Amino acid sequence: MTDDVTGLGAFFAPRSIAVIGASNDPGRIGGRPVDFCKAAGFDGPLYPVNPTRDEVQGLKAFPDVESIPGPVDLAVLAVPSARVPETLEACGRKGVRAVVVFSAGFSEVGAEGAAAQADMLEIAQRHGIRMLGPNCLGFYSAASGACGTFTTGLEGGMPARGKIGLITQSGAYGTHLLSMAKARRLGVAGWVSTGNEADVSVAECLEYMVESDEVGAIGLYMEGVNRVETLIRALARARELRKPVTIMKVGSSEVGARAVQSHTASLAGSDASFQAVIKQFGAVRAETTEEMFDVLYAATTGPLPRGDRLGILTVSGGAGVLMADAAEKHGLSVPPMPEASVGKLLERNPFASPRNPVDITAHALNDFDLIPEYLAEMMRAGDYDCYTAFFTSWTASPVLGPRLRKVLLETLAGQGKPFALIGLFDDEQAGAYEREGVLTFADPSRAVAALATMARVAQGFDRVATGALPDVGAPGIAVRSMGEAEAKARLAAAGVPVLPEGVAATADEAAEMAAEMGFPVVLKIVSPQIAHKTEVGGVALNLADADAVRAEAARMLAEIPAKVPGAEIEGVLVSPMAGEGVELIVGSQLDPVMGPMVMVGLGGVLAEVLKDVALARAPVTAEAAEGMLARLKGAAILDGVRGRPGVDRRAVAEVIARVSVLAAANAEGVESIEINPLLASAEGAVALDALILPRGEEA
Amino acid sequence: MTDDVTGLGAFFAPRSIAVIGASNDPGRIGGRPVDFCKAAGFDGPLYPVNPTRDEVQGLKAFPDVESIPGPVDLAVLAVPSARVPETLEACGRKGVRAVVVFSAGFSEVGAEGAAAQADMLEIAQRHGIRMLGPNCLGFYSAASGACGTFTTGLEGGMPARGKIGLITQSGAYGTHLLSMAKARRLGVAGWVSTGNEADVSVAECLEYMVESDEVGAIGLYMEGVNRVETLIRALARARELRKPVTIMKVGSSEVGARAVQSHTASLAGSDASFQAVIKQFGAVRAETTEEMFDVLYAATTGPLPRGDRLGILTVSGGAGVLMADAAEKHGLSVPPMPEASVGKLLERNPFASPRNPVDITAHALNDFDLIPEYLAEMMRAGDYDCYTAFFTSWTASPVLGPRLRKVLLETLAGQGKPFALIGLFDDEQAGAYEREGVLTFADPSRAVAALATMARVAQGFDRVATGALPDVGAPGIAVRSMGEAEAKARLAAAGVPVLPEGVAATADEAAEMAAEMGFPVVLKIVSPQIAHKTEVGGVALNLADADAVRAEAARMLAEIPAKVPGAEIEGVLVSPMAGEGVELIVGSQLDPVMGPMVMVGLGGVLAEVLKDVALARAPVTAEAAEGMLARLKGAAILDGVRGRPGVDRRAVAEVIARVSVLAAANAEGVESIEINPLLASAEGAVALDALILPRGEEA
């Protein structure tokens, strides 16, 4: 394909292939790779290895890999699992660069299999061989015709050639994907099933396909994430090359069921982290297989939109409204045509409703020129970023269909915007549009959804990181539990605003401190063992004078040790009563899979009950953190509700960015940082309480 | 079809049809009904009316409707709009029972057209003629072969016969629906496009199809709701007969854009009301056309599930997880198999993972009996309410496909549960399963979604109203604005709990009242012109003694008249300070389309910013109101969060029910009733503030 910067070229574009365990029967596992390579037109030497036959499927066979006369780039191992190690050794001696291992019975069946897999990997690595599998269905490359696979998805013919790359961990579901792609006439550039990923992972295959000129858009099916750093690097590179990546990752329901731990942990389960990371790096999550294929279809058929403004052309008012609804639901805007154009179009056809949706009405049947004229005016004066057009069954009519196609394609020529045509189509009718870059759909909602996803993809590509990470001073954090006072001091050193405060050991000392700060003040119990202070009576707000402070501090110091036996009480924290504002939670959490994640949510029920939080992989810039705030469902609260002033979003974003930098720098030692609440107002943001926990500890 | 209790039998099952304006050209509007009736096998007399021809499409033609020798049940009017009145008069003289009017140019084009439509309706009603249209595409009935339509959706052949009824306001989108149904091989019983609905409405057509034995499930496409009472009656009857109804209603984005008014109005926009009503009466909203067809397909192919427990059989672990994720997303549960069964199935195949999803793995290829054995055990011991089974491309394989079908159909025979098979199918393969009641899908997520919708439909059917409406005493409410004091008194008379309180005209009087009630107290300004008291400084909380009360009351009475010029100040309301609890908003609002709606939401940002409210058409019982509370996204808050006790849901539900009864009884005069907040605690619920507005007035 292209320069083999990823080292996987020996799989996808090998100069020669040996099939070890080759069968003369093209229906058997060892026979299929030979049969498929021939059918796909692999034009390098293809060497069947079979000690009992001179010829396999019309090709000269060899008793073992070392008897093959020429060099072997790729060996496909269709042998029982017990014979894999000796076969790998032989491949190593032969100088094979890459192997595909179909055999099952390795890490997927338990500890013994995992040990066998580790041994196998050791052999491969000792010989410098890259390995796909074990327990995989292999791969298919349209450009080279290399088919190191026994998937039934290639039975009955290769898929149409095209720009779609498919990467899957599951063999069986991967076969289903390949079969569905064929049934939908989608053009496929390559397909790979990674199985146990002893060596080659989904992330590396993604990296290869991102760099390949043959591939225009990539669909991933994943069950777990190995090599998260490679995955992120590949996604970042895809964004740079503006190559759409859509990911279907299953297992969210299991993850969702995991036991709830501290606030942050309960809010940032790893499916949410995964979701946040792929969004952050410009990929899109597909929830269903059809959605994934719609994205791949749109991405490899037409251009990407440059914005989110949708122009809707229709001959049915109802369909126009339906598409406007769908646009709002999926986040596309439907701005009206300029007034001058509306007037002009109404003059041309008084029955039309030409605002946007632009409804020509069925009058277009009597006056076909209305179609190109209206469309041209939409493109000229509306200048939308993408278009849908509804012509119902006209598209399939023997008389109207070709006329419609002619005027649409002529009018669209060279305009470079995505255009989805909704109607009824047979394969030939659809193909005639698709070859010209026009998408075809029967369901208008699905057309709008696909365009909206494309707009989101383009937005993700445009969202390059701006600004710099904040300077937090020395980033290291001591690896120990830090309660409120110590945690706030540490955060303050990193530039997070906190209120002046002090820890008093006695009630009298508390009263004295309060008098110095000025009333009213707040008292809070200080103990590393007590995370939720309110629940043990460890918070007293709005204390107006020294007597009140003394009484409350005395009560806390007396009562709480009895309520929480074993808690080390370090004293009471005295701080000025904060003003009015909006409470937020800002925190970080080490995700076991995705690494350090930073989180923000609105305080109270929004974060806790409704799980309205925004996540990103740490570190993030303040600019990116502002984007996180905008994604909160309750973001309007930050702008002020019921007469309250809005908060300084930038100040909140600065805090998020600083926490994220600390979290990323301390991913080895720190499990979580939590500011709860962060009080935000028009004047800024201040951390009122905080907690830092070392790795492995939970609040 | 069946007994014509709805009076529309003359359309769908006429004994004779006249086509007025019949054309000899089967492609023209006046030619198509004749051509279609012949193609669909209409077996009563078919009379083309055309003054210029003796014969039309091989049938004897008549110069006018009155020249037809026999009686005419249905006349199809394919005449210019100007000729409709005289043609209707002639139909009246002839004794025609029903007419279809295709002609456009009536109410859809403005006031003049609306007047012409009213004249036309007057003629029809004077003659006792039922009228479909004008500006409609007519209808199709498979059972009678009557085709009073010129839709291109019937070109190229009638749809397959089946149990689906389609009702649409839009002609063009209705044609698209019919064409999509044909492309999907769905079986259609009837189709009708209602256009301007001068007489016959979508609601009446629904009522007809609900009563018809020919129709098993009904899809509606709507843009607006006429005759809401008929619609509700028809939905209630469909629920009684357990006939699934799925509704696609467009226009939500426009409705959403309507200007925000008072809290309740802004929360209870009419799309939300529509959504609430159809859910309340057991129908399901389809968001997309494909979703609507999936529901209709599932409802007319297999049985309805009796619960929400999904059993998942798979040969791919990944597909199993994917379906479990989809089940959680769509609200189906995936309970595990009993431990004893798990052991038994593992013994049979140690590679299997037989909990649920029950993953047989690809070992089923080597041991085909695993499939029926595992499935039978799932049905016996798991006894799920519905099933999905993933067999990828095996279904389409020439060898495996028929074997698989044999074992599946044998094992499923007579078990009466919905079963969705996921794989790849050509039309013949799919048909062979569907004829036996098995659903087929390529996308596993879509299969799960369809089963989940069926489960929701069945649940809706089961949710018959229990309990009685509360007794609110004399239900009438005086038609005038009522501010806090008067509104609370009126609600108290209807059994809604309120705190003791009084209105003081002066500061001294307020202090005196407070002293009688006991401190602390709350003061609020009383003025019919002031809805949001906090914003004008009209609320003072937690006043601890007589001096504080006197000072605050004096301030309000002095300051507020200056802030709100023209406000009539009736005094200050004095009431005891309420205890701790959860604040809710309970209210009613007259929806311009759906009538009196009752609403409940959690106070504060949840209702206002996140629009987390539950709606129902008034009146509702307390039992139904408890269901509304359960639907709130923040419902967990009612159970107590962070150590707070849960609230008495029944007490809240009682208040909702009482407000709903008042709202329904006063739909002529009362625009809205609002209790904000209703304070709920473990001890009960009490209205702290309220407002009642007469029709046409907004807060």
Side-chain angles (χ1 to χ4, degrees):
Chain A
M1 296 179 168
T2 21
D3 281 359
D4 188 12
V5 296
T6 58
L8 299 190
F11 290 99
F12 295 100
R15 284 163 304 181
S16 55
I17 303 176
V19 179
I20 304 177
S23 167
N24 197 47
D25 178 351
R28 301 194 61 170
I29 288 181
R32 289 187 192 182
V34 176
D35 180 49
F36 292 157
C37 281
K38 287 163 66 181
F42 176 67
D43 66 358
L46 181 61
Y47 305 113
V49 173
N50 182 329
T52 68
R53 302 185 66 97
D54 291 338
E55 206 183 272
V56 165
Q57 298 187 44
L59 296 169
K60 176 174 166 46
F62 298 86
D64 53 61
V65 69
E66 290 172 274
S67 311
I68 293 171
V72 173
D73 272 2
L74 172 69
V76 178
L77 272 58
V79 299
S81 51
R83 285 196 45 222
V84 172
E86 66 190 69
T87 310
L88 270 177
E89 293 283 8
C91 286
R93 290 190 298 270
K94 174 66 186 168
V96 168
R97 295 167 59 209
V99 297
V100 179
V101 183
F102 294 157
S103 325
F106 292 96
S107 69
E108 83 279 10
V109 297
E112 208 172 317
Q117 182 170 313
D119 291 348
M120 182 167 70
L121 180 61
E122 183 278 324
I123 299 171
Q125 290 182 332
R126 177 157 38 81
H127 290 290
I129 299 175
R130 296 305 309 268
M131 179 167 66
L132 183 64
N135 188 30
C136 79
L137 258 59
F139 75 93
Y140 158 70
S141 164
S144 69
C147 298
T149 179
F150 65 99
T151 177
T152 54
L154 294 183
E155 277 182 0
M158 298 295 127
R161 273 292 286 275
K163 305 284 275 181
I164 293 175
L166 293 171
I167 305 172
T168 164
Q169 281 176 328
S170 164
Y173 205 72
T175 292
H176 195 62
L177 290 175
L178 198 50
S179 304
M180 279 181 80
K182 280 167 70 175
R184 277 187 70 166
R185 302 174 300 105
L186 295 175
V188 176
W191 172 91
V192 55
S193 132
T194 57
N196 289 7
E197 302 194 351
D199 176 20
V200 174
S201 65
V202 155
E204 279 175 290
C205 293
L206 175 62
E207 212 167 16
Y208 180 83
M209 287 196 185
V210 165
E211 296 293 344
S212 166
D213 291 340
E214 305 290 338
V215 177
I218 303 161
L220 267 70
Y221 171 90
M222 304 176 77
E223 290 163 14
V225 181
N226 296 322
R227 330 272 151 85
V228 66
E229 299 295 342
T230 309
L231 181 67
I232 286 175
R233 193 172 65 221
L235 291 176
R237 179 71 176 144
R239 174 168 64 181
E240 198 179 323
L241 297 174
R242 299 184 77 80
K243 199 170 279 190
V245 176
T246 175
I247 304 184
M248 228 185 138
K249 182 175 174 295
V250 300
S252 59
S253 60
E254 281 176 302
V255 170
R258 271 184 200 160
V260 168
Q261 304 169 338
S262 77
H263 304 315
T264 316
S266 71
L267 299 171
S270 77
D271 193 74
S273 298
F274 178 81
Q275 175 75 33
V277 169
I278 68 162
K279 188 182 170 73
Q280 195 173 350
F281 290 94
V284 290
R285 182 89 175 257
E287 288 211 12
T288 72
T289 313
E290 278 186 348
E291 203 182 313
M292 181 164 113
F293 280 124
D294 282 354
V295 171
L296 295 171
Y297 167 69
T300 56
T301 302
L304 285 180
R306 266 166 243 148
D308 67 1
R309 300 167 68 255
L310 173 67
I312 299 173
L313 181 66
T314 182
V315 292
S316 151
V321 175
L322 194 166
M323 291 188 278
D325 285 359
E328 184 177 278
K329 179 183 162 196
H330 293 288
L332 291 177
S333 67
V334 187
M337 290 280 283
E339 278 309 320
S341 290
V342 172
K344 188 170 136 188
L345 294 176
L346 269 177
E347 208 165 299
R348 177 69 178 80
N349 168 20
F351 297 98
S353 173
R355 286 186 64 76
N356 189 25
V358 173
D359 181 8
I360 318 183
T361 77
H363 280 266
L365 271 181
N366 308 323
D367 184 354
F368 220 72
D369 290 341
L370 284 170
I371 298 170
E373 288 176 35
Y374 272 52
L375 179 56
E377 185 66 12
M378 287 180 78
M379 295 191 305
R380 190 194 65 77
D383 192 24
Y384 297 102
D385 299 311
C386 50
Y387 296 85
T388 50
F390 179 84
F391 285 96
T392 180
S393 53
W394 302 10
T395 51
S397 152
V399 180
L400 287 179
R403 281 179 69 194
L404 181 65
R405 186 161 68 232
K406 182 165 180 296
V407 300
L408 287 178
L409 293 181
E410 278 173 6
T411 315
L412 291 171
Q415 56 91 41
K417 305 282 184 67
F419 188 94
L421 181 62
I422 295 103
L424 291 156
F425 306 89
D426 63 24
D427 288 355
E428 196 186 312
Q429 289 158 344
Y433 279 109
E434 289 159 0
R435 279 189 296 277
E436 303 299 324
V438 171
L439 308 174
T440 66
F441 287 91
D443 184 340
S445 310
R446 208 159 140 184
V448 173
L451 290 178
T453 307
M454 288 299 97
R456 225 160 52 232
V457 166
Q459 256 171 23
F461 289 159
D462 295 338
R463 204 190 304 123
V464 274
T466 55
L469 293 173
D471 177 7
V472 299
I477 296 182
V479 178
R480 64 166 179 273
S481 279
M482 297 188 194
E484 175 169 1
E486 197 183 0
K488 283 202 289 194
R490 181 62 194 88
L491 289 166
V496 173
V498 297
L499 293 176
E501 63 186 19
V503 177
T506 66
D508 284 336
E509 201 183 326
E512 202 171 302
M513 273 184 190
E516 250 169 63
M517 287 174 194
F519 296 96
V521 299
V522 178
L523 292 191
K524 295 186 213 163
I525 196 74
V526 180
S527 164
Q529 284 79 35
I530 301 176
H532 298 307
K533 305 178 192 78
T534 309
E535 289 170 17
V536 298
V539 176
L541 304 175
N542 218 11
L543 302 174
D545 54 41
D547 287 348
V549 170
R550 196 175 295 110
E552 273 299 314
R555 183 192 59 72
M556 284 184 195
L557 292 169
E559 280 177 10
I560 293 173
K563 281 190 192 161
V564 190
E568 303 159 50
I569 306 294
E570 297 172 4
V572 289
L573 186 75
V574 185
S575 54
M577 182 77 187
E580 293 277 296
V582 175
E583 293 195 348
L584 294 106
I585 304 177
V586 172
S588 75
Q589 180 78 24
L590 266 190
D591 185 277
V593 174
M594 305 308 288
M597 303 293 300
V598 65
M599 181 273 271
V600 62
L602 285 149
V605 294
L606 285 170
E608 287 179 43
V609 178
L610 297 188
K611 310 282 182 265
D612 180 21
V613 298
L615 285 171
R617 192 166 198 264
V620 296
T621 63
E623 286 78 5
E626 285 194 71
M628 293 171 71
L629 290 175
R631 288 207 299 276
L632 293 173
K633 292 193 199 81
I637 293 166
L638 300 174
D639 301 326
V641 286
R642 302 207 81 176
R644 285 195 205 147
V647 311
D648 181 348
R649 287 190 181 211
R650 180 70 189 196
V652 176
E654 276 289 338
V655 172
I656 298 169
R658 285 172 193 278
V659 168
S660 81
V661 170
L662 290 175
N666 294 280
E668 290 302 313
V670 171
E671 181 73 31
S672 67
I673 302 171
E674 183 178 312
I675 301 176
N676 183 10
L678 177 79
L679 188 78
S681 67
E683 283 72 46
V686 58
L688 298 188
D689 195 353
L691 187 65
I692 296 178
L693 293 178
R695 195 153 181 162
E697 246 183 67
E698 286 160 12
Chain B
M1 296 182 170
T2 21
D3 280 0
D4 189 12
V5 296
T6 58
L8 299 191
F11 291 98
F12 295 101
R15 285 162 303 180
S16 56
I17 303 176
V19 178
I20 304 177
S23 167
N24 196 47
D25 178 352
R28 299 194 62 169
I29 288 181
R32 290 186 192 183
V34 177
D35 180 49
F36 292 157
C37 281
K38 287 163 66 183
F42 176 68
D43 66 359
L46 180 60
Y47 305 113
V49 173
N50 182 328
T52 69
R53 302 186 65 97
D54 291 338
E55 205 182 273
V56 165
Q57 299 186 43
L59 296 169
K60 176 174 167 51
F62 298 86
D64 53 60
V65 69
E66 291 172 273
S67 312
I68 293 171
V72 173
D73 272 2
L74 172 70
V76 178
L77 271 58
V79 300
S81 51
R83 285 197 42 225
V84 171
E86 68 190 67
T87 311
L88 269 178
E89 294 282 9
C91 287
R93 291 190 297 269
K94 174 66 185 168
V96 167
R97 295 168 56 210
V99 297
V100 178
V101 183
F102 295 156
S103 325
F106 292 94
S107 69
E108 82 280 9
V109 297
E112 209 171 317
Q117 181 170 313
D119 291 347
M120 181 167 69
L121 180 61
E122 184 278 323
I123 299 171
Q125 289 181 333
R126 175 157 40 81
H127 290 290
I129 300 175
R130 297 304 309 267
M131 178 167 64
L132 183 64
N135 188 30
C136 77
L137 258 58
F139 75 94
Y140 158 69
S141 164
S144 69
C147 297
T149 179
F150 65 99
T151 177
T152 55
L154 294 183
E155 278 183 0
M158 298 295 127
R161 273 294 284 276
K163 304 284 275 181
I164 294 175
L166 293 171
I167 305 172
T168 164
Q169 281 176 328
S170 165
Y173 205 73
T175 292
H176 195 60
L177 290 175
L178 196 51
S179 304
M180 278 181 81
K182 280 168 70 175
R184 276 189 70 167
R185 303 173 300 106
L186 295 175
V188 176
W191 171 92
V192 55
S193 132
T194 57
N196 289 6
E197 302 194 351
D199 176 19
V200 174
S201 64
V202 155
E204 278 175 292
C205 293
L206 175 61
E207 211 166 18
Y208 180 84
M209 287 197 185
V210 165
E211 297 292 346
S212 165
D213 292 339
E214 305 288 337
V215 178
I218 303 160
L220 267 71
Y221 171 91
M222 304 176 76
E223 291 162 15
V225 181
N226 296 321
R227 331 269 150 87
V228 67
E229 298 297 342
T230 310
L231 181 68
I232 287 176
R233 192 172 64 221
L235 291 176
R237 179 71 176 144
R239 175 167 63 182
E240 199 179 323
L241 297 175
R242 299 184 77 80
K243 200 169 278 193
V245 176
T246 174
I247 304 184
M248 225 185 140
K249 180 173 175 295
V250 300
S252 58
S253 59
E254 281 175 305
V255 170
R258 269 182 201 164
V260 168
Q261 304 171 340
S262 77
H263 304 312
T264 316
S266 70
L267 300 170
S270 75
D271 193 73
S273 299
F274 177 80
Q275 175 75 33
V277 169
I278 67 162
K279 188 182 170 72
Q280 195 173 350
F281 291 93
V284 290
R285 182 89 174 259
E287 288 211 11
T288 72
T289 314
E290 279 185 349
E291 203 182 313
M292 180 165 115
F293 280 124
D294 282 354
V295 171
L296 295 171
Y297 167 68
T300 56
T301 302
L304 285 181
R306 267 167 245 148
D308 67 0
R309 300 167 68 256
L310 174 67
I312 299 173
L313 181 67
T314 182
V315 292
S316 151
V321 176
L322 194 166
M323 290 188 278
D325 285 359
E328 185 177 279
K329 181 183 162 195
H330 293 289
L332 291 178
S333 67
V334 187
M337 291 279 283
E339 278 309 320
S341 290
V342 171
K344 188 169 139 189
L345 293 176
L346 269 178
E347 207 166 298
R348 177 69 178 81
N349 168 20
F351 297 98
S353 173
R355 288 185 65 77
N356 189 26
V358 174
D359 181 8
I360 319 183
T361 76
H363 281 266
L365 273 180
N366 307 322
D367 184 355
F368 221 72
D369 289 342
L370 285 170
I371 298 170
E373 289 176 33
Y374 273 52
L375 179 55
E377 184 66 12
M378 287 179 78
M379 295 191 307
R380 189 195 65 78
D383 192 25
Y384 297 102
D385 299 312
C386 50
Y387 296 85
T388 51
F390 178 83
F391 286 96
T392 181
S393 54
W394 302 11
T395 50
S397 153
V399 180
L400 287 177
R403 283 180 68 193
L404 181 66
R405 186 162 68 232
K406 183 165 180 293
V407 301
L408 288 178
L409 292 182
E410 278 173 8
T411 315
L412 291 171
Q415 55 93 38
K417 306 282 184 68
F419 188 95
L421 181 62
I422 296 104
L424 290 155
F425 307 89
D426 62 25
D427 288 355
E428 196 187 310
Q429 289 157 345
Y433 279 108
E434 290 158 359
R435 280 189 296 277
E436 303 299 323
V438 171
L439 309 174
T440 66
F441 287 91
D443 184 341
S445 309
R446 208 158 140 185
V448 173
L451 291 178
T453 306
M454 288 299 96
R456 228 164 46 234
V457 166
Q459 257 171 23
F461 288 159
D462 295 338
R463 204 190 301 121
V464 274
T466 55
L469 293 174
D471 177 8
V472 299
I477 296 182
V479 178
R480 65 166 176 276
S481 278
M482 297 188 194
E484 176 169 358
E486 196 182 359
K488 284 201 290 196
R490 180 63 193 85
L491 289 167
V496 173
V498 297
L499 294 176
E501 63 185 20
V503 178
T506 67
D508 284 335
E509 198 182 326
E512 204 171 299
M513 272 185 191
E516 251 168 63
M517 286 174 194
F519 296 98
V521 298
V522 178
L523 292 190
K524 296 187 211 162
I525 196 75
V526 181
S527 166
Q529 285 78 34
I530 300 175
H532 299 307
K533 307 179 192 77
T534 308
E535 289 169 19
V536 297
V539 177
L541 304 175
N542 217 9
L543 301 174
D545 54 41
D547 287 348
V549 170
R550 195 174 296 110
E552 275 298 316
R555 183 192 58 74
M556 285 183 194
L557 292 169
E559 280 176 9
I560 294 173
K563 281 189 191 162
V564 190
E568 303 158 50
I569 306 293
E570 297 172 5
V572 289
L573 186 76
V574 186
S575 56
M577 182 78 187
E580 294 276 297
V582 174
E583 293 194 347
L584 294 106
I585 304 177
V586 172
S588 75
Q589 180 77 24
L590 266 190
D591 185 277
V593 175
M594 305 307 290
M597 303 293 300
V598 65
M599 182 275 272
V600 62
L602 285 148
V605 295
L606 285 170
E608 287 180 41
V609 178
L610 298 188
K611 311 279 182 268
D612 181 21
V613 299
L615 286 171
R617 191 164 198 267
V620 296
T621 63
E623 286 77 5
E626 285 194 74
M628 292 171 70
L629 289 175
R631 288 207 299 278
L632 293 173
K633 291 193 199 79
I637 293 166
L638 300 174
D639 301 324
V641 286
R642 304 206 81 178
R644 285 194 205 149
V647 311
D648 181 350
R649 287 190 181 211
R650 181 68 189 198
V652 176
E654 276 289 341
V655 172
I656 298 169
R658 284 171 195 279
V659 168
S660 81
V661 169
L662 289 175
N666 294 280
E668 290 302 313
V670 171
E671 181 74 30
S672 67
I673 302 172
E674 182 179 313
I675 300 177
N676 183 12
L678 178 79
L679 188 78
S681 67
E683 283 71 47
V686 57
L688 298 188
D689 195 352
L691 188 64
I692 296 176
L693 293 178
R695 195 153 181 161
E697 242 182 72
E698 284 161 13

